[in-house]
Amino acid sequence: MALLVHLLACAFGLGSWVAVNGLWVELPLIVKTLPEGWELPSYLTVIIQLANLGPLLVTLMHKLCPGRLKERVVIYCILSIGVLSCVLLAFFWDKTTIVAGASRSTAFFIITFFLSLVDCTSSVTFLPFMTQLPAKYITTYFIGEGLSGFIPGVVSLAQSVGIAKCVNSSQAAGNHTNGSLWSSHTEYLPPNFSTEVFFVLLAVMMCISLAAFAALNRLPRTFELSTENLVLDTVASVCYGLENPGAEADGEGVKRPGEGAAPSKPLSAGPKHSVYQMTFIYFMVVWVNCATNGLLPSVQTYSCMSYGSLAYHLSAALASVANPMACTIAMFFQNRSLVFLGVLAALGTGFGSYNMAMAAMSPCPLLQGSVAGEMIIVLSWLFFTGTLSYVKVMVGVILRDRSHSALVWCGAAQQMGSLVGSVTMFPLVNVYGLFKSGDFCSTQCPL
């Protein structure tokens, strides 16, 4: 029975962020089809921020009507919406409509909003439900949440998106034109399986999560309601709670469902910090979430696609894998030194600055057309995501150990940083056109 519950808890956690993670790793293939093209990631960052309406409503219900909101009902609803949305995405992701005289991916945006709503809301409903089981099963649940980022990345790598070659258009026409007029263009080789199949696989994973939740609900109630030792799992809970800015703001992850608001008291004995240290901690929360959830994701296409679609594919897939890896490292190797975290944040900011600089230089970034350039941009995105993910986890742990109110302000700081980042980049990318796209093969860059 214990092994069965572990497996079900892991499968249940799989449905937490698998949909949004799947969308991000599939973007290298999607941006070549949808009319928004390289601007698509900036739209997604704004849509995901709008989807925080779900956690906000759940939070308000818990505060205004304690005990009235049933997590089981909400979880059944959001997982069902997730399954339906993934199925609809497989059929309608590339359908467009004319809006204000331009072709827009209306269906993709609407379905993406509901998928984001599912994943954002999972952060304030899945964990409270899991606290009804002994603490040892919560760790298994967080393993499942880690797999929600790891599996889509691995599947995307197996899909082999981004393999391309430069084709001389004159040769393709039979060499009837003058050699001086020859031009090259990028020809993408077909992936091992289509985007539709990928979205169906996401739907299957959501179905597995839904089935696991239904099975957990039907298990004999032989487990005691227990939240003891939850502090031992603080790293994992904070790690995946921070994936959704503001998701932990109601503090439900540390209370049993139906409880009233907990008093602001330390969750565990932790060191006291001065006003300046707390200011620095909250500054890191705002900045790290601003960079990882708003600023850089909006321009990932511009920083990578100039090196080729393969570089973009690898950076998106490996960055998705880097987050659960950083969280796993944080579970075993914890360093709460503010000096260390500040240095690590600066290092991650350096990688992010390089990525932003390459996006600004698009379509002619440094070392374009070289293997070294491709390797550097992929590794830069990998280390950017990994280092700042570790900082997010440890800063969240520090605030979680301090008090409940500190964690509430942490959620507010996360939301503010993510919102500022996405709102700042959207007009720069889509209105003012500060970032330029180009074809990897046909763009002529100065030596």
Side-chain angles (χ1 to χ4, degrees):
M1 179 62 72
L3 177 60
L4 175 61
V5 177
H6 277 298
L7 292 175
L8 292 176
C10 183
F12 176 47
L14 181 65
S16 56
W17 282 94
V18 69
V20 169
N21 287 325
L23 286 177
W24 279 110
V25 299
E26 193 68 2
L27 277 181
L29 192 60
I30 296 175
V31 295
K32 296 182 295 185
T33 303
L34 297 185
E36 289 76 15
W38 291 21
E39 299 174 355
L40 192 61
S42 64
Y43 283 93
L44 293 189
T45 57
V46 175
I47 291 174
I48 293 174
Q49 293 305 310
L50 294 176
N52 277 296
L53 175 67
L56 177 61
L57 292 177
V58 171
T59 301
L60 290 176
M61 283 294 295
H62 277 297
K63 299 302 182 185
L64 300 178
C65 306
R68 297 286 297 276
L69 185 66
K70 304 299 182 183
E71 269 78 14
R72 291 181 179 85
V73 176
V74 177
I75 293 173
Y76 271 123
C77 290
I78 63 175
L79 285 177
S80 299
I81 292 173
V83 172
L84 179 61
S85 298
C86 288
V87 172
L88 292 176
L89 201 60
F91 291 98
F92 299 105
W93 72 273
D94 58 347
K95 306 302 181 184
T96 60
T97 56
I98 302 299
V99 178
S103 180
R104 296 294 180 188
S105 307
T106 311
F108 180 78
F109 290 151
I110 293 175
I111 298 173
T112 296
F113 171 78
F114 283 101
L115 285 177
S116 303
L117 190 68
V118 169
D119 289 5
C120 291
T121 309
S122 72
S123 295
V124 293
T125 53
F126 284 19
L127 185 60
F129 171 79
M130 285 302 300
T131 58
Q132 300 181 51
L133 302 179
K136 61 182 180 180
Y137 296 112
I138 296 179
T139 301
T140 311
Y141 164 79
F142 288 125
I143 293 175
E145 279 200 337
L147 292 177
S148 72
F150 181 78
I151 292 179
V154 172
V155 172
S156 177
L157 290 174
Q159 193 178 12
S160 296
V161 179
I163 305 300
K165 61 180 180 179
C166 295
V167 176
N168 190 300
S169 58
S170 296
Q171 289 180 342
N175 286 335
H176 294 309
T177 58
N178 187 284
S180 61
L181 299 178
W182 287 2
S183 62
S184 292
H185 66 276
T186 304
E187 181 178 288
Y188 296 98
L189 301 182
N192 293 332
F193 51 89
S194 66
T195 300
E196 290 78 8
V197 173
F198 182 86
F199 289 142
V200 169
L201 292 176
L202 291 184
V204 170
M205 286 186 273
M206 291 296 295
C207 286
I208 292 173
S209 179
L210 177 59
F213 175 68
L216 286 172
N217 262 327
R218 286 170 172 77
L219 285 175
R221 293 302 176 189
T222 58
F223 303 107
E224 292 184 8
L225 287 176
S226 173
T227 54
E228 62 180 352
N229 298 328
L230 278 183
V231 174
L232 298 179
D233 296 310
T234 292
V235 173
S237 62
V238 170
C239 179
Y240 297 106
L242 294 186
E243 281 302 291
N244 170 32
E248 294 279 341
D250 64 340
E252 289 299 322
V254 296
K255 300 184 299 214
R256 290 190 293 271
E259 279 190 334
S264 295
K265 61 181 179 180
L267 300 176
S268 65
K272 299 297 183 181
H273 297 94
S274 67
V275 174
Y276 297 106
Q277 289 175 321
M278 292 302 297
T279 301
F280 177 68
I281 289 173
Y282 282 113
F283 171 77
M284 283 198 294
V285 173
V286 172
W287 169 246
V288 168
N289 283 274
C290 178
T292 57
N293 296 337
L295 295 178
L296 272 302
S298 300
V299 296
Q300 188 170 14
T301 43
Y302 296 93
S303 69
C304 299
M305 282 288 277
S306 296
Y307 293 99
S309 186
L310 179 59
Y312 182 25
H313 171 58
L314 290 176
S315 66
L318 294 179
S320 179
V321 172
N323 182 269
M325 287 180 60
C327 294
T328 303
I329 293 173
M331 291 179 66
F332 297 100
F333 303 99
Q334 299 187 28
N335 191 328
R336 305 188 186 197
S337 167
L338 294 185
V339 175
F340 174 78
L341 294 178
V343 171
L344 204 60
L347 183 63
T349 300
F351 289 118
S353 299
Y354 179 83
N355 298 337
M356 182 65 75
M358 296 306 101
M361 296 174 66
S362 175
C364 297
L366 299 176
L367 301 176
Q368 186 197 37
S370 66
V371 175
E374 296 180 29
M375 291 179 60
I376 291 174
I377 195 65
V378 171
L379 290 175
S380 181
W381 272 99
L382 178 65
F383 290 128
F384 164 74
T385 305
T387 54
L388 294 190
S389 293
Y390 184 89
V391 173
K392 280 197 286 187
V393 176
M394 296 315 304
V395 169
V397 168
I398 292 172
L399 294 175
R400 189 184 183 105
D401 286 350
R402 182 177 176 85
S403 69
H404 170 68
S405 61
L407 193 61
V408 171
W409 284 107
C410 178
Q414 297 160 26
Q415 179 67 11
M416 182 176 69
S418 301
L419 184 63
V420 168
S422 58
V423 170
T424 298
M425 293 308 298
F426 186 83
L428 297 181
V429 174
N430 300 285
V431 178
Y432 298 105
L434 297 184
F435 300 89
K436 307 297 182 182
S437 61
D439 185 85
F440 174 70
C441 294
S442 61
T443 301
Q444 300 294 323
C445 296
L447 297 178

